[in-house]
């Protein structure tokens, strides 16, 4: 097994392979990227940059979507 | 008067616009608090609304395949208006809407920054702060606000594309508690005014429109009705009726009778 790094996704600790991209993470979770938005360390990551965004140790990610609301 | 009907808006061409977008329905509905997403979709369809408000929340990582709102309320058919419900600071509101913009790809948003329970009354100081940041960031902002004509005017001057005073506390269903102030806001405003929050039943929506609101925004009044889809239809009719009554111009009120049938001549038994 290769080296892993530790990141936080929506408040939960998670291990991912070192060198993984944001695209890899979203695929691993199983999310339809067209329906979510991602914030990494308080910065929005444009959808077009998911593949080019390499995850780093201690990254704080927020993955959100639309739900019913008034 | 020559008997012709004067030209003027009818229900067919009486559209309104906000942020350069034109809409025919004057009812904006929330998508929260329904039994399930199927009922959400059915009620929204019945309401005839073209704009729906939506909230932004963390994805449940444990259930990534769960049905999503977009599967039942098609973003191609309805204009999604992301809100900042649950935000109690300007910073959280701005952060939420930046994410919403990325998720949806548009700039039209609803800002609400609330004070504490039990009233969740708009926190206007935080609302001003958030509005300033959002406008700098290129958003078109419809703003939930207190029923305060001065505050509403200030929002407009800052660049809000619509002001949305509450009729009563969120989810209270108490109806329009403040018709005088709502009217004052409308008379002063150059941007659309919407009553947002407080509507409980169809007559409340009609009253808001009779006061001259450009549109009405509601969620619980439909979602928490015993039969939400039926209430959605009622609200559609009420908003249309209220709008027509506003355009028609109501008769003056007076404190004595004024009979509709002539009393001065031809009454049987009178000489």
């Amino acid at each position: 097994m290769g080296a892993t790094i530790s990141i936080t996704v929506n408040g939960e600790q998670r291990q991912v392979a070192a060198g993984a991209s944001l695209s890899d993470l979203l695929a691993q979770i199983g999310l339809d990227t067209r329906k979510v938005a991602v914030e990494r360390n308080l910065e929005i990551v444009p959808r077009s940059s998911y593949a080019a965004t390499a995850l780093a140790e201690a990254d704080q990610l927020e993955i959100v979507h639309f739900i019913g609301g008034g | 008067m020559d008997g012709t009907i004067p030209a003027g808006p009818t229900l067919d061409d009486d559209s309104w616009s906000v942020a350069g977008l034109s809409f025919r329905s004057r009812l904006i509905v929330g998508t929260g608090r329904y039994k399930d997403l199927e009922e959400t979709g059915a009620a929204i369809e019945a309401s005839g609304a073209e704009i729906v408000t939506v909230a932004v929340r963390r994805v449940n990582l444990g259930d990534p395949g769960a049905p999503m709102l977009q599967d039942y309320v098609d973003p191609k058919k309805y204009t999604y208006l992301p809100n900042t419900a649950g935000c109690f600071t300007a910073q959280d509101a701005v952060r939420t809407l930046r994410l919403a913009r990325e998720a949806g790809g548009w700039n039209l948003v609803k800002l609400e920054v609330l004070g504490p329970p039990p009233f969740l009354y708009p926190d206007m100081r935080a609302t001003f702060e958030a509005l300033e940041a959002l406008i700098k960031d290129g958003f078109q902002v419809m703003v939930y606000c207190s029923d305060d004509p001065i505050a509403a005017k200030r929002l407009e001057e800052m660049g809000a594309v619509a002001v949305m005073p509450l009729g009563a506390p969120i989810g209270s269903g108490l109806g329009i508690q403040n018709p005088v102030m709502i009217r004052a806001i409308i008379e002063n405003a150059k941007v659309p005014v919407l009553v947002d929050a407080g509507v409980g039943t169809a007559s409340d929506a009609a009253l808001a429109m009779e006061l001259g609101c450009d549109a009405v925004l509601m969620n619980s009044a439909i979602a928490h009705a015993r039969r939400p889809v039926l209430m959605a239809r009622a609200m559609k009719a009420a908003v249309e009726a209220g709008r027509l009554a506003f355009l028609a111009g109501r008769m003056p009120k007076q404190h004595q009778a004024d009979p509709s049938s002539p009393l001065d001549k031809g009454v049987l038994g009178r000489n």
Side-chain angles (χ1 to χ4, degrees):
Chain A
M1 190 175 156
T4 62
I5 54 172
S6 179
I7 61 174
T8 305
V9 184
N10 288 2
E12 293 173 19
Q13 286 281 329
R14 219 177 164 97
Q15 301 292 319
V16 296
S21 70
L22 181 52
S23 285
D24 298 333
L25 174 71
L26 294 171
Q28 187 196 329
I29 297 170
L31 286 171
D32 181 346
T33 55
R34 291 167 304 170
K35 294 175 182 169
V36 300
V38 183
E39 186 192 75
R40 178 183 178 226
N41 304 326
L42 299 178
E43 296 280 337
I44 302 278
V45 184
R47 194 166 288 143
S48 54
S49 308
Y50 290 172
T53 302
L55 298 174
E57 176 72 25
D59 268 357
Q60 300 274 341
L61 296 172
E62 293 288 348
I63 306 175
V64 304
H65 65 152
F66 290 126
I67 65 156
Chain B
M1 299 292 275
D2 60 4
T4 57
I5 296 169
T10 66
L11 265 194
D12 291 331
D13 63 4
D14 180 34
S15 60
W16 68 290
S17 35
V18 61
L21 301 168
S22 184
F23 299 97
R24 289 176 57 167
S25 171
R26 290 174 181 269
L27 176 56
I28 299 180
V29 293
T31 53
R33 313 186 83 172
Y34 286 95
K35 187 179 69 193
D36 51 36
L37 286 169
E38 203 158 56
E39 188 183 72
T40 310
I44 286 162
E45 173 93 46
S47 76
E50 296 168 300
I51 306 177
V52 298
T53 62
V54 296
V56 178
R57 290 292 182 274
R58 281 174 165 171
V59 167
N60 179 359
L61 298 176
D63 191 8
M68 289 197 186
L69 185 65
Q70 288 100 317
D71 301 327
Y72 291 83
V73 181
D74 185 356
K76 291 193 194 80
K77 186 170 167 197
Y78 299 99
T79 299
Y80 271 33
L81 183 66
N83 69 21
T84 57
C87 293
F88 293 91
T89 66
Q91 194 189 9
D92 284 346
V94 173
R95 197 178 161 202
T96 297
L97 291 178
R98 283 181 178 147
L99 278 162
R101 176 162 65 182
E102 183 57 27
W106 56 84
N107 285 324
L108 185 64
V109 294
K110 168 181 164 179
L111 172 65
E112 57 181 297
V113 190
L114 307 179
F119 297 115
L120 301 175
Y121 201 77
D123 179 336
M124 290 313 295
R125 183 175 155 161
T127 300
F128 290 132
E129 190 187 331
L131 178 62
E132 191 172 12
L134 289 167
I135 286 172
K136 262 191 205 142
D137 204 3
F139 285 96
Q140 307 265 20
V141 194
M142 300 172 72
V143 188
Y144 176 62
C145 60
S146 56
D147 54 332
D148 171 349
I150 308 299
K153 195 67 193 170
R154 171 130 181 76
L155 292 170
E156 178 186 312
E157 288 163 356
M158 288 173 71
V161 297
V163 295
M164 308 200 291
L166 78 169
I170 292 171
S172 67
L174 288 171
I176 315 293
Q177 294 293 303
N178 44 10
V180 175
M181 285 303 115
I182 298 288
R183 192 191 293 273
I185 290 170
I186 292 165
E187 281 170 2
N188 272 323
K190 293 195 182 71
V191 295
V193 177
L194 291 80
V195 159
D196 176 0
V199 166
T201 188
S203 52
D204 300 332
L207 173 60
M209 294 309 297
E210 286 170 13
L211 289 171
C213 284
D214 292 277
V216 182
L217 198 163
M218 66 181 74
N219 188 339
S220 306
I222 297 174
H224 279 187
R226 205 149 39 83
R227 298 174 62 187
V229 178
L230 198 54
M231 186 58 90
R233 276 178 57 194
M235 291 302 185
K236 179 179 189 223
V239 166
E240 288 176 1
R243 175 66 184 169
L244 281 178
F246 171 73
L247 292 175
R250 61 152 300 142
M251 64 165 283
K253 288 182 182 179
Q254 57 183 16
H255 294 279
Q256 58 191 39
D258 181 10
S260 311
S261 309
L263 286 184
D264 52 345
K265 55 187 170 190
V267 177
L268 293 183
R270 190 179 294 177
N271 295 312

